Each structure stands twice: as structure tokens, then as C-alpha cells.
Amino acid sequence: MIAISSISFGEDVEREVLDTLRSGMVAQGPKVARFEEGFAELVGTRHAVAVNSGTTALIAALRVLDLQPGDEVLTTPFTFVATLNAILDSGATARFADIGEADFALDPDVVAECVNERTRVLMPVHLYGQTADMGALMPLAETEGLAVVEDAAQAHGATFDGKGAGSFGLGCFSFYATKNLTTAEGGMVTTDDDAVADRLRVLRNQGMRRRYEYEMAGQNFRMTDLQASLGLPQLGSYLQQVESRRRNAEGLRTGLKDVEGLVLPSELAGRGHVWHQFTVILAPDAPIDRDTLAQRLSDRDVGSGVYYPRTVYDYDCYREHPRVIASPTPVATSVARRCLSIPVHAALSTDDVDRIVAAVREAMEA
């Protein structure tokens, strides 16, 4: 089976982890600091503050904005549930704007229609490894006086017009096991604002700047040196891994470009895609539906994944929630029924890519 994702660590990671174990410093320490420094360089920001998960990164970013009851965060309905859960944790209200099918991200024109006097934060999600249209969203946020929190959980190293995902506002990244860069669990908040970075560091350490000197109500959001030891060696080879993903994506696009009923993802002009996922859409007139394609691929030993099967608010626990404002988002609803991700990860060989192409072509036959 060619899996939808692949997780492996080299000897350099093993050496780094062993060094940490032998050092006796396994909680947050010097390796977390080194990881923060390297990741800030990758993103292109002055600061990177490590935390214990991507969800925590979102929660921490929203907390330092001091949102009040009634404040609204405007985001996409086509995302992982962590995006919504972090908004609810902040005490704010979640409101949703529709997406564009070309990049699976917030449609700036719809966003402009949804902003109101209660909107405090714009939270774009850079899905599958490509940024949202930050060239249109940032001027809108500036005009409306909105803070920008980027859910960049899947976009390590992605760019818009040469500027890194996570460098437009407060960037929030995940290092979950299946991400392009992983520490098994872990997250990062990136910013150019010295004061915000300082607040984040105090917040993640139970509100302490120094031991037993509390400056704010905080949490234990810390990353461990063991986690950082997994990520540190990957930073040095990360861009090479991205190039492998790009080659695989190009192989998939070339091999599948003429398949009837299959809409392929693309790297849009001015955007640097890091191909966390290669997500196709079944056209309305496709000869088969998404679930049939997934089953036929499985029968041919090719893995796939549905990210995501519903809009995020379309679950019983959110439908009647007083701080979840769901309005019609027809593009997101349609894409959720028709999207399927196929393997694109760096561990694929040329033969693997050829097998995936052949399997998809066979499976798409009516």
C-alpha cells in the first residue's frame, strides 16, 4: 500500500534525541530555543515561540489579542476543527466566509461582505500547503482594523509573493506527526512584534517571567527539548524535502492532466506551494463520485484521505452553539463532498508516482 503520508527519521534525528536524553534536559530548554531560532528564519519573522501543539498555537495567538465577549473571528468553514475550537476557547464568536475552489481558502470578495462592526480578527487558513490570497486579504484587514491570525498548520515554508506564510500577522503552525515538518506533537507562533512575542512566552509558562513571579494568568503551553530534538535536524533538509514534494506533485499533474472529471490542484501565480497534500476535486459531471474513487484506489493499494468531509460547523456539537454563526457557504459545502487527497509525500519514488497515476486513471473509468 502506498500510504497517504509517511513518517521516518534519519540517523541525525536519532543522534539529536540521544544527545538530549544524555543531557538530562528534556523539558523546555536550549534545544527549544535553537528550534525557535531556525524556524523563525524559515518563516522570515523576528520571533518564533514554540508551544505544545498547533491547536495551542492558535489558542495562544488569540489569547494575546485580549478578545472580549461579542468579538467575532472571521474564518473559513473548510478547515480542521482546531481552527474553530481555538476561537471558542478564546471566548469569541466564530463567523464564516466561503472559499474559492482554486486554492481552498477564504474568498476575499466574500470576506469583504462578511466583515461587520463586531469583527476583530481575520483568520485565513493556508490549506494543503498553499497560502490564502494574502495580497487581497491583508489590505482588507488593514482597512477594517482587523488583527490577522494565520492558521498555517499545513504551510511550513509556503510563500505569497516571496513572503512567508506566518509572517503577515500572527502565524500558527503545527508539527503533528503527519505534517511536512514534525515533532510528533508541537506547534509554533511566529510574529515580528516584540511585545506580542514576550507575552506569548510568559503565557506559555504559567504566566511566569521568572520562577514564582506571575505577570498574567497563563498555561503550561511549553514544548519539550525532546520534541525540539526531532525537529531540529529536519530544518536543515526541509527545503530539499519540499523540492521532492514539488517533483511528485508535478509528476501527478502531468500524469493526470487529461483525466476526464478530475480537477487537479495547482500552484497559483505568486504563491510557493509546499504540497502538504495533493487534493483533487471530482467535477460535478465526473463518471464516478469521490467515495467510489477512494475505494477503487484502496483496491489498487493506493491510500487516500478526505480533508475534510464536511464544513467545520456541520456537526451536532456546533449547530446550536450560541457562538458559532453559520451562514450558507456553497463552495465549501460542495468541495467537501468532492475532494480527495492522494499521496504526494517526499518518500515517494518515481515508480510510486507512476503507480498512483495509473491507479487513478484506472479508477476514474466509469
Side-chain angles (χ1 to χ4, degrees):
M1 173 70 75
I2 300 176
I4 186 64
S5 62
S6 175
I7 305 166
S8 63
F9 298 105
E11 292 182 0
D12 53 349
V13 173
E14 294 175 8
R15 287 193 298 270
E16 196 74 47
V17 171
L18 185 58
D19 178 70
T20 301
L21 292 173
R22 288 172 172 169
S23 75
M25 173 59 77
V26 295
Q28 180 179 298
K31 294 200 175 180
V32 169
R34 285 172 51 203
F35 188 47
E36 290 174 328
E37 181 180 354
F39 196 77
E41 183 177 351
L42 174 68
V43 173
T45 54
R46 287 170 53 83
H47 303 280
V49 181
V51 292
N52 53 26
S53 75
T55 305
T56 297
L58 292 167
I59 290 171
L62 290 171
R63 284 199 186 183
V64 297
L65 296 177
D66 293 326
L67 300 179
Q68 301 299 311
D71 289 343
E72 293 186 0
V73 178
L74 183 58
T75 192
T76 166
F78 192 61
T79 183
F80 183 56
V81 71
T83 310
L84 175 53
N85 285 340
I87 295 169
L88 297 179
D89 180 88
S90 75
T93 296
R95 186 181 291 273
F96 303 92
D98 210 351
I99 65 170
E101 192 167 301
D103 61 5
F104 303 98
L106 282 172
D107 182 328
D109 291 335
V110 181
V111 169
E113 296 172 357
C114 292
V115 173
N116 61 48
E117 67 278 2
R118 294 178 298 279
T119 311
R120 282 281 316 280
V121 180
L122 177 61
M123 185 183 283
V125 178
H126 306 317
L127 207 60
Y128 304 141
Q130 182 161 231
T131 70
D133 185 356
M134 301 308 288
L137 292 174
M138 287 306 295
L140 174 61
E142 291 166 7
T143 299
E144 299 292 342
L146 308 180
V148 175
V149 175
E150 302 169 68
D151 185 337
Q154 302 179 6
H156 316 67
T159 59
F160 185 93
D161 284 346
K163 186 174 170 62
S167 68
F168 292 87
L170 277 171
C172 301
F173 294 84
S174 169
F175 303 122
Y176 180 66
T178 57
K179 297 297 189 288
N180 289 16
L181 198 162
T182 178
T183 60
E185 288 281 6
M188 196 78 77
V189 185
T190 54
T191 180
D192 283 324
D193 190 312
D194 296 349
V196 168
D198 183 68
R199 289 198 69 197
L200 286 165
R201 292 187 176 106
V202 173
L203 172 66
R204 74 175 173 187
N205 191 36
Q206 297 288 11
M208 293 187 293
R209 185 177 302 280
R210 287 173 291 276
R211 193 166 182 81
Y212 304 130
E213 293 183 15
Y214 304 102
E215 296 186 5
M216 63 190 299
Q219 292 285 345
N220 176 4
F221 286 162
R222 297 184 299 268
M223 177 184 278
T224 69
D225 266 22
L226 275 174
Q227 290 170 298
S229 297
L230 294 176
L232 269 170
Q234 295 175 61
L235 282 173
S237 59
Y238 181 66
L239 296 182
Q240 293 172 290
Q241 187 218 126
V242 170
E243 284 305 311
S244 295
R245 288 176 175 269
R246 286 176 173 158
R247 284 195 297 271
N248 294 338
E250 184 57 31
L252 293 171
R253 282 183 49 79
T254 299
L256 298 173
K257 63 183 179 181
D258 61 344
V259 176
E260 183 179 353
L262 201 64
V263 181
L264 303 180
S266 64
E267 182 176 67
L268 300 179
R271 307 193 207 186
H273 205 316
V274 294
W275 296 103
H276 174 62
Q277 297 291 352
F278 188 96
T279 302
V280 302
I281 300 175
L282 277 294
D285 60 352
I288 60 174
D289 62 19
R290 185 264 309 284
D291 294 340
T292 300
L293 174 57
Q295 183 58 57
R296 289 182 178 181
L297 290 179
S298 179
D299 293 342
R300 291 164 172 80
D301 291 329
V302 172
S304 64
V306 178
Y307 312 109
Y308 299 95
R310 301 186 196 178
T311 51
V312 72
Y313 53 72
D314 187 22
Y315 293 87
D316 288 344
C317 57
Y318 300 119
R319 287 194 185 98
E320 304 302 324
H321 197 292
R323 290 190 286 115
V324 176
I325 301 177
S327 55
T329 52
V331 177
T333 300
S334 175
V335 168
R337 297 194 193 107
R338 299 184 289 121
C339 66
L340 187 72
S341 297
I342 59 178
V344 73
H345 55 79
L348 296 175
S349 66
T350 301
D351 287 345
D352 289 334
V353 172
D354 291 343
R355 277 184 56 197
I356 296 166
V357 167
V360 172
R361 295 184 71 90
E362 293 170 6
M364 285 295 294
E365 295 176 0

